Amino acid sequence: QNQFPLEYTCFRRNMTPSLAWKDAPAATQSYVVVLERRGKGDHLFWSWIVFDLDATTLALPAADPQPLMGTNDHGHAAYT
């Protein structure tokens, strides 16, 4: 089972991970990024939601603050 690196959790630096992608369909207009993790039991926890990333965006560096963030399961527009 894959484990999420501790560096990006509240037990360490609690910063967003770096992400990169490629080969989007030609008609792509924007991206949404959702970081979801399993909590206790079967609960899926939304830790981070970023939306309206321009279609020319192909990466997010670690610890990059994003201006358009959705509300996570803690009720904050932030990474948790």
Side-chain angles (χ1 to χ4, degrees):
Q1 181 179 24
N2 292 333
Q3 294 293 317
F4 195 71
L6 279 177
E7 178 179 11
Y8 304 110
T9 70
C10 63
F11 300 109
R12 296 290 192 276
R13 297 177 64 193
N14 198 36
M15 65 181 198
T16 60
S18 61
L19 301 172
W21 53 90
K22 62 182 180 175
D23 300 329
T28 300
Q29 295 179 4
S30 65
Y31 292 103
V32 171
V33 175
V34 176
L35 183 97
E36 177 182 79
R37 65 179 173 84
R38 186 162 305 282
K40 292 183 179 184
D42 289 332
H43 178 72
L44 293 176
F45 182 85
W46 288 29
S47 294
W48 189 38
I49 304 150
V50 180
F51 61 94
D52 204 23
L53 292 169
D54 190 85
T56 60
T57 303
L58 297 177
L60 294 173
D64 186 29
Q66 292 297 315
L68 297 175
M69 289 191 280
T71 303
N72 62 28
D73 281 352
H74 279 296
H76 304 286
Y79 174 79
T80 57

